[in-house]
Amino acid sequence: MYIPDLSNLKLPDVPPALSDKEINEYTDRIAEKLKKKDAVVIAHYYTNDEVQQLAEKTGGFIGDSLEMAKWGRSNKAKTVIVAGVRFMGETAKILSPEKTVLMPDLQAECSLDLGCPADEFDRFCSEHPDHTVVVYANTSAAVKARADYVVTSSIALEMIEYLNLCGKKIIWAPDRHLGAYISNRTGADMLKWQAHCIVHDDFKAAALKNLMAEHPDAMVLVHPESPAEVTAMAHFAGSTSQILAEVKKSSAKEFIIATDTGIFYKISQACPDKVLIPAPNGGAGATCQSCAHCPWMRQNTLPLIEALLDNPEGHEVFVDEEIRKKSLISLNRLLDFSAALKEKGSVQAMIESGIVI
């Protein structure tokens, strides 16, 4: 099994903070340039507040990686600006090859993507040809091209349950914590890649326990990319969009949230009366390598978005056409599975209906 060493990752510097006046000025200028360029901004939940605000104010979109790509495909704009990390730009290009896809910083990486090199992964898969290959969306286009199925965190559990009921042995990549969470819940026969997200991996159970003691009435919400001992302490574990939905419907007033703090913008917007407490990302063994905010997500800045509109050179996302076609197969299986699950209501109902994805 390939175990990546991410301990010496060179993280980007923190961009200078903008004043409210600067944010407003950049937003106004960018809005005009977006109109002239027939362009739209799609932003991930984990980007900084001012970038999410820009997407909202200019008719763009905020969401998770796959929803971003799907929205970009359906929108009429000819140019899509992806405020996120590199694999998100690639996914948008895979689904919309006819569009120009731009990113503020093509060096905005993801530790899960970096922890799953395509050549190493291909070699591992070839050693286990009897296994069905399932990869998380947080991977390169080349890794998706090697996979049979792509999943997001909101549907990974159901996909593995489905494949397990179909009698499949599974290779899972790349997140070790999400893989362990799914295998424990489903009992599936899974060979698990051992990469991790530097944000979620740094949440620690001891520090979380202390925080919970300080806030005994708080509901604990955890993304399952977190270590097992942290996820086990949660009242709810789920994807970013599922965490947002859970806060909306819950009657609780306080929430301790173990995921990237970028999501607090949309939660606060939807639930202004609720108290949001970031789970501890330092102390009790944590390194605070990320301090609960992805260092690459924060590379998406208003100055860079304006700069790429002035000169897109060095900002455009390209995907090799052969790789794009292969990765589209695994992505389309995800979309087909999601549609079938929504129609039938459960994995068991899908199986009973004889649906084959």
Side-chain angles (χ1 to χ4, degrees), residues 1-2 115-127 193:
M1 175 61 68
Y2 182 83
C116 190
D119 54 349
E120 296 283 353
F121 186 63
D122 176 64
R123 188 176 303 116
F124 179 73
C125 293
S126 296
E127 292 171 356
W193 200 257

Side-chain angles (χ1 to χ4, degrees), residues 276-296:
L276 310 179
I277 305 165
N281 205 245
T287 65
C288 203
Q289 188 177 23
S290 69
C291 295
H293 188 35
C294 175
W296 294 289

Side-chain angles (χ1 to χ4, degrees), residues 111-151:
S111 57
L112 285 169
D113 187 353
L114 293 174
C116 190
D119 54 349
E120 296 283 353
F121 186 63
D122 176 64
R123 188 176 303 116
F124 179 73
C125 293
S126 296
E127 292 171 356
H128 304 279
D130 59 336
H131 282 61
T132 297
V133 180
V134 181
V135 302
Y136 196 21
N138 300 41
T139 48
S140 68
V143 169
K144 290 181 176 72
R146 183 63 178 82
D148 298 302
Y149 298 87
V150 172
V151 295

Side-chain angles (χ1 to χ4, degrees), residues 44 46 64-66 68-69 82 84-94 101 103 105-106 108-114 136-142 144 150-152 225 294 297 317 319 331:
H44 193 270
Y46 293 168
D64 64 24
S65 60
L66 186 63
M68 288 165 62
V82 177
V85 294
R86 183 166 52 86
F87 79 81
M88 298 176 185
E90 289 183 343
T91 303
K93 187 65 177 179
I94 291 166
V101 177
M103 295 191 69
D105 187 354
L106 290 178
E109 300 284 1
C110 168
S111 57
L112 285 169
D113 187 353
L114 293 174
Y136 196 21
N138 300 41
T139 48
S140 68
K144 290 181 176 72
V150 172
V151 295
T152 62
E225 285 179 25
C294 175
M297 284 288 188
V317 176
V319 177
L331 276 167

Side-chain angles (χ1 to χ4, degrees), residues 290-311:
S290 69
C291 295
H293 188 35
C294 175
W296 294 289
M297 284 288 188
R298 68 186 177 209
Q299 297 308 104
N300 295 273
T301 66
L302 298 184
L304 281 178
I305 293 173
E306 182 177 35
L308 72 80
L309 285 165
D310 291 335
N311 180 12

Side-chain angles (χ1 to χ4, degrees), residues 246-265:
E246 189 66 22
V247 177
K248 286 181 180 180
K249 73 179 185 181
S250 174
S251 60
K253 297 300 181 183
E254 285 189 324
F255 300 84
I256 297 172
I257 301 177
T259 192
D260 193 297
T261 53
I263 188 60
F264 283 34
Y265 171 75

Side-chain angles (χ1 to χ4, degrees), residues 12 19 97 295:
S19 68

Side-chain angles (χ1 to χ4, degrees), residues 71-313:
W71 191 92
R73 179 176 62 179
S74 64
N75 187 268
K76 64 181 182 180
K78 294 180 181 178
T79 297
V80 177
I81 298 171
V82 177
V85 294
R86 183 166 52 86
F87 79 81
M88 298 176 185
E90 289 183 343
T91 303
K93 187 65 177 179
I94 291 166
L95 293 183
S96 303
E98 77 287 356
K99 296 192 176 191
T100 299
V101 177
L102 304 174
M103 295 191 69
D105 187 354
L106 290 178
Q107 301 306 310
E109 300 284 1
C110 168
S111 57
L112 285 169
D113 187 353
L114 293 174
C116 190
D119 54 349
E120 296 283 353
F121 186 63
D122 176 64
R123 188 176 303 116
F124 179 73
C125 293
S126 296
E127 292 171 356
H128 304 279
D130 59 336
H131 282 61
T132 297
V133 180
V134 181
V135 302
Y136 196 21
N138 300 41
T139 48
S140 68
V143 169
K144 290 181 176 72
R146 183 63 178 82
D148 298 302
Y149 298 87
V150 172
V151 295
T152 62
S153 53
S154 61
I155 207 166
L157 190 67
E158 289 83 358
M159 178 69 85
I160 298 301
E161 180 187 358
Y162 168 81
L163 294 172
N164 185 46
L165 289 173
C166 291
K168 304 292 187 180
K169 294 188 292 184
I170 297 159
I171 288 176
W172 164 268
D175 189 82
R176 66 190 183 197
H177 298 308
L178 182 56
Y181 174 78
I182 292 168
S183 64
N184 288 338
R185 291 284 299 274
T186 64
D189 183 347
M190 296 170 62
L191 293 175
K192 296 181 286 291
W193 200 257
Q194 294 295 302
H196 65 270
C197 166
I198 62 170
V199 174
H200 295 94
D201 189 63
D202 218 19
F203 293 120
K204 302 299 179 186
L208 178 57
K209 181 179 180 181
N210 293 337
L211 186 62
M212 291 171 67
E214 295 174 17
H215 301 272
D217 297 326
M219 184 178 185
V220 179
L221 310 177
V222 174
H223 194 293
E225 285 179 25
S226 305
E229 59 271 20
V230 172
T231 305
M233 299 170 71
H235 298 103
F236 176 84
S239 69
T240 308
S241 57
Q242 289 169 338
I243 287 174
L244 173 58
E246 189 66 22
V247 177
K248 286 181 180 180
K249 73 179 185 181
S250 174
S251 60
K253 297 300 181 183
E254 285 189 324
F255 300 84
I256 297 172
I257 301 177
T259 192
D260 193 297
T261 53
I263 188 60
F264 283 34
Y265 171 75
K266 289 302 292 182
I267 297 178
S268 296
Q269 190 180 63
C271 309
D273 58 328
K274 297 186 177 182
V275 178
L276 310 179
I277 305 165
N281 205 245
T287 65
C288 203
Q289 188 177 23
S290 69
C291 295
H293 188 35
C294 175
W296 294 289
M297 284 288 188
R298 68 186 177 209
Q299 297 308 104
N300 295 273
T301 66
L302 298 184
L304 281 178
I305 293 173
E306 182 177 35
L308 72 80
L309 285 165
D310 291 335
N311 180 12
E313 185 176 353

